[in-house]
Amino acid sequence: MIDPAGGALGAAELDTAVAELAKSYDAEAGGFGASPKFPTSMVLEFLLRNADRTGSQQALDLVSGTCEAMARGGMYDQLSGGFARYSVDRFWRVPHFEKMLYDNGQRLRVYLHWWRQTGSPLAERVVRETGRFLIDELQTPEGGFASALDADSDGHEGTFYVFNPNQLMRTLGVEDGAWAAQLLGVTGPGTFERGFSTLQLQADPDDPQRWADVRAELLAVRAERTRPARDDKVVASWNGLAISALAEAGVLLDEPDFVAAAIKAAELAGRRPPGRQVRADVARRRRRSELRRAGRSRLSG
């Protein structure tokens, strides 16, 4: 690792970085700082590497607390996998519901590396579910991965994802509906807006088969709703994140579909004309430059 002045960072500097991160850690809710909370994938990767290098329990605890909180909150899609953009609140309860390819590519690897170091069943589940989300919901017919799913549908953010107790009762029946409401944190007043709640899974179900059945029924109901629009741009750099994550997860977790999807996307990237493989940040800088030139031209005219 290189510092801004050009010198190599030593063990002391890296350990100091861990200590500084610990100062901003939210011990009650996981993550760093206050709301809104963004999952800092590179920070978590750094902490995992530090824990592996030094045996630091502190570094590993920062990762474990954050990853568990994110995966159990409303920012993670408890029905079909994949993470929303960020959390509006400090408890990871209410997300900005947009799902981005580059976020999920990075988070998949974080959870994979967390699983590799700890054997966490939660981490393994999140990796498998998020990998399926990338393939099932973002893979394009050509084999690449689309950029994002919108936050909105039917004129409201989050409509596709949220439930209220009455919807659970109608779908599942009174007994299973009440059980699901308690399990998923769906309340009468709601945890989101208009009496709706995001779905949270703060504890593993005491009856896994019952949860599997409930999850399947809720997915079927959700499938009848208006789906958020998909941004079908295939951005090479973002696809690279998904390709590397799926390939690594596929090998480590013996998921051949993940490897096959990674290969298909990589082959698509190889077939694209070089001029079309423009990184998103480069494209944005180019557009800003064009706008500045246009503004100067108008002024000079």
Side-chain angles (χ1 to χ4, degrees):
M1 186 176 288
I2 306 298
D3 72 14
L9 295 176
E13 289 83 4
L14 297 176
D15 292 344
T16 297
V18 173
E20 289 299 314
L21 286 167
K23 293 178 183 178
S24 65
Y25 179 68
D26 185 339
E28 182 182 8
F32 303 91
S35 59
K37 276 187 176 172
F38 287 80
T40 48
S41 297
M42 296 309 296
V43 167
L44 296 172
E45 289 278 18
F46 161 70
L47 290 168
L48 283 169
R49 293 181 184 185
N50 181 272
D52 186 56
R53 176 179 62 85
T54 67
S56 169
Q57 188 61 46
Q58 180 186 42
L60 189 58
D61 287 346
L62 296 178
V63 175
S64 296
T66 299
C67 284
E68 177 148 4
M70 290 195 301
R72 294 201 178 280
M75 201 184 76
Y76 182 68
D77 188 339
Q78 305 296 344
L79 298 185
S80 67
F83 288 89
R85 184 75 181 88
Y86 61 88
S87 177
V88 174
D89 65 293
R90 60 179 282 238
F91 291 97
W92 311 101
R93 184 177 297 127
V94 178
H96 172 50
F97 287 89
E98 186 178 24
K99 287 181 172 180
M100 304 293 294
L101 174 64
Y102 70 86
D103 288 326
N104 281 283
Q106 292 179 87
R107 287 172 205 165
L108 192 155
R109 290 193 80 196
V110 167
Y111 279 83
L112 179 67
H113 297 161
W114 181 40
W115 166 78
R116 188 175 59 186
Q117 285 186 232
T118 66
S120 164
L122 175 62
E124 180 180 355
R125 174 171 66 81
V126 168
V127 172
R128 294 187 191 275
E129 291 175 353
T130 301
R132 288 269 27 121
F133 159 73
L134 290 176
I135 295 169
D136 294 343
E137 300 193 40
L138 292 185
Q139 191 174 44
T140 67
E142 299 80 14
F145 293 97
S147 296
L149 296 179
D150 284 353
D152 301 357
S153 57
D154 291 335
H156 293 282
E157 180 171 350
T159 299
F160 182 71
Y161 300 100
V162 296
F163 285 83
N164 62 34
N166 287 337
Q167 290 172 327
L168 295 181
M169 301 292 181
R170 286 199 303 269
T171 301
L172 303 170
V174 174
E175 187 175 343
D176 279 350
W179 182 79
Q182 183 176 14
L183 180 70
L184 296 168
V186 177
T187 68
T191 58
F192 179 49
E193 297 173 350
R194 299 176 292 123
F196 290 98
S197 295
T198 60
L199 302 186
Q200 304 171 73
L201 195 61
Q202 294 296 337
D204 292 331
D206 55 8
D207 187 337
Q209 185 56 55
R210 188 181 189 185
W211 164 236
D213 294 340
V214 162
R215 183 169 173 256
E217 291 190 60
L218 293 180
L219 274 170
V221 167
R222 202 173 78 170
E224 298 174 357
R225 298 176 176 178
T226 302
R227 297 185 64 83
R230 190 172 82 170
D231 182 348
D232 279 333
K233 289 195 303 293
V234 177
V235 179
S237 59
W238 298 2
N239 270 251
L241 295 171
I243 289 167
S244 60
L246 284 169
E248 188 176 358
V251 170
L252 292 178
L253 293 179
D254 191 22
E255 288 278 2
D257 286 355
F258 290 10
V259 176
I263 291 172
K264 191 173 182 180
E267 289 175 343
L268 176 68
R271 291 197 302 271
R272 284 180 176 272
R276 294 186 65 186
Q277 294 185 13
V278 181
R279 289 181 55 192
D281 55 345
V282 173
R284 285 195 295 270
R285 286 199 297 270
R286 184 179 298 167
R287 178 61 177 158
R288 286 197 294 267
S289 178
E290 290 170 353
L291 290 172
R292 283 195 295 269
R293 286 198 299 271
R296 286 196 295 269
S297 297
R298 287 195 295 270
L299 289 172
S300 61

